[in-house]
Amino acid sequence: MDDQGYGDIGYTYPTNDVHTPLLDQLASKGRKLNRHYTSWLCTPTRASIMSGRYPIELGIQHDVFDSNTEECLNEKELLMPEVVRHNGYATHLVGKWHLGYSRWSCMPCMRGFDTAFGYTSGTTGWITHKVGSYYDFYECATSSEGGLTWDVLTKDKGIYSNFLYNKRIKKIINNHDPKTPLFLYLPMQSVHSSYYAPENYYTCTDHKRCTMQAMLNSAEDLIRDVISYFEEAGLWEDTVLLYASDNGGPHSAYHSNGHLRGYKSTLWEGGVRTPSFIYSSNHKIMSDKLRGTETNCYFHVADWYQTIISLSGGWQKYERATGNEMPASLDSRDQSYHLLNEERDTGICPRKQIMLHIDPVKRVAGYYKDGMKLLVGDQDNGNSCSGTEFYPLNIDSIDLDIIQLFNLTADPNEADDISAGNPDIVADMVFDLTEYLEKQRPLQCQLPTVDGSYPNSVVPYYTPWDFSEGYLPSSAFQKL
């Protein structure tokens, strides 16, 4: 889910003013991840899922990817869908990408997905499928026989996005060979702005939260239909459903982060702790003793990388198929046993700490260890990335004159800074944090806007424009 705050789902609080009966039911029969942490914005979160690395190692420390720049998830990274596809799975994306589009090699159908359908940027119109004046809705496919094909879907103007995603997923399932395992990545447009749902999804109209409820009703309809398509195809029994939001809810009357402090784009819990659960109806996949339980172990969004790869057959299968080894120094942890397999779970949390974030533009950082949370720098710093400013990627990239420490077990609302009374803990956590500072990569937000890039007044579509790699799909631009 996109931008879903901790209070934008029913099960997190009994007093929540929104209702999500389907998600609540799935979570109650699955395993809830109470300490699921993301980045503070969507591009860095999605990059971690795909690469298994913290955003600082990808140059995505500060902001989301912008249009008309060369920003791109490093093409040298081995992405999770590439591994899953080599492990024998059909791989499909339906929804949001937002990991770069300047070159064809940045796009999902060149990064491990057999097909992709959706939009490239941070959001798009629910009906217009435009960002401002420019159209952002596409489909692509890649195969050994046909190469890469690409199409801008102007024919879908005027149709509600969730209806289009529903139709696409139904087509994928209907055309799928059940003998081949399937990986479906559904980065939903819900519940990101602009805030809209068809009238039939409204149950009230007197408050902005009514619109949020309508958007959640629509999202649940989509999820319910997806499950029914899997059931009708005989696939649901062997399916694992992974659910999470990409960051906290924005500072908006439409959203709620419950009792958590802060909101999207901050390092407070409300910006980075999100709803998440895992579910499977198959008792051989998910242990009965774990069904209906929750875990308070740390889970960083990068852990989905190793966890999904493990569920798809693991690295040995990939290495046999390709002759290549697992990338070195991944930040991801395989949590599949902890989440699903009670017999093989050691009972020890797979992760003891999380390097939450380092932003050299705002000079802030966050780090978790053993129930404690360290925040460094002025959390209200509103600095924006400048293409001409020098941002050090070392100890000078954070402001160590401002330090806060919170015991999240006793103080989940981050109301009581206990740094003054715990100098040894602060020193230990600062030492750990500084070890990550040198791992930062140059900031992609400093890449300039490119003259002649798309979209523009001549080519009013979000589509790759950099052909320096000498590659052009066989059916690109057929709508232009």
Side-chain angles (χ1 to χ4, degrees), residues 287 337-338 340-347:
S287 300
Y337 291 161
H338 175 66
L340 293 169
N341 194 322
E342 182 267 340
E343 293 182 358
R344 301 187 69 174
D345 181 26
T346 63

Side-chain angles (χ1 to χ4, degrees), residues 304-439:
W304 289 122
Y305 180 91
Q306 290 278 46
T307 301
I308 291 172
I309 288 172
S310 177
L311 292 173
S312 76
W315 286 104
Q316 288 186 342
K317 191 172 184 179
Y318 169 78
E319 290 166 5
R320 287 195 300 269
T322 66
N324 299 322
E325 297 181 349
M326 179 179 74
S329 305
L330 290 172
D331 300 306
S332 179
R333 303 287 183 272
D334 176 10
Q335 299 219 30
S336 57
Y337 291 161
H338 175 66
L339 296 178
L340 293 169
N341 194 322
E342 182 267 340
E343 293 182 358
R344 301 187 69 174
D345 181 26
T346 63
I348 300 172
C349 290
R351 181 183 276 281
K352 296 295 184 182
Q353 63 277 325
I354 293 176
M355 199 296 296
L356 178 62
H357 204 58
I358 298 169
D359 181 358
V361 177
K362 295 185 177 182
R363 300 193 69 211
V364 297
Y367 182 70
Y368 296 92
K369 185 176 183 179
D370 297 331
M372 296 290 183
K373 180 178 182 179
L374 180 79
L375 288 178
V376 175
D378 178 5
Q379 299 303 311
D380 294 323
N381 186 322
N383 287 354
S384 298
C385 186
S386 167
T388 58
E389 188 77 19
F390 171 71
Y391 300 110
L393 303 178
N394 52 33
I395 191 68
D396 295 324
S397 65
I398 56 176
D399 184 0
L400 287 169
D401 291 333
I402 304 176
I403 288 180
Q404 299 177 79
L405 181 70
F406 301 95
N407 181 338
L408 293 181
T409 303
D411 178 26
N413 300 345
E414 298 172 288
D416 185 15
D417 173 16
I418 60 173
S419 58
N422 295 274
D424 291 343
I425 294 176
V426 169
D428 175 62
M429 294 181 73
V430 168
F431 176 81
D432 287 356
L433 179 63
T434 55
E435 299 237 311
Y436 288 99
L437 292 170
E438 302 293 339
K439 294 184 177 182

Side-chain angles (χ1 to χ4, degrees), residues 18 38 61-62 87 94 111 179 205 234-235 241 248 266 278 281 366 370 381 402 433 449 452 470:
V18 295
T38 65
Q61 300 95 303
H62 176 67
N87 282 355
V94 178
R111 305 304 302 270
K179 296 178 182 178
T205 57
L235 301 174
L241 172 67
T266 74
I278 188 168
S281 63
D370 297 331
N381 186 322
I402 304 176
L433 179 63
T449 299

Side-chain angles (χ1 to χ4, degrees), residues 38-50:
T38 65
S39 182
W40 56 7
L41 292 167
C42 64
T43 295
T45 287
R46 293 158 200 274
S48 288
I49 294 172
M50 289 290 125

Side-chain angles (χ1 to χ4, degrees), residues 98-170:
H98 208 194
L99 291 174
Y101 73 97
S102 62
R103 298 177 293 278
W104 296 107
S105 55
C106 299
M107 292 297 292
C109 287
M110 295 293 286
R111 305 304 302 270
F113 288 102
D114 295 327
T115 72
F117 176 96
Y119 54 108
T120 65
S121 52
T123 187
T124 193
W126 285 98
I127 298 293
T128 66
H129 312 305
K130 287 184 176 181
V131 181
S133 302
Y134 301 127
Y135 204 73
D136 189 7
F137 217 68
Y138 75 95
E139 66 177 342
C140 65
T142 184
S143 67
S144 56
E145 299 82 16
L148 174 65
T149 59
W150 171 271
D151 197 0
V152 178
L153 300 176
T154 53
K155 67 179 185 298
D156 290 328
K157 283 188 291 187
I159 304 175
Y160 179 53
S161 296
N162 276 358
F163 296 161
L164 294 172
Y165 304 141
N166 192 316
K167 181 180 178 181
R168 177 67 172 208
I169 293 170
K170 185 175 183 179

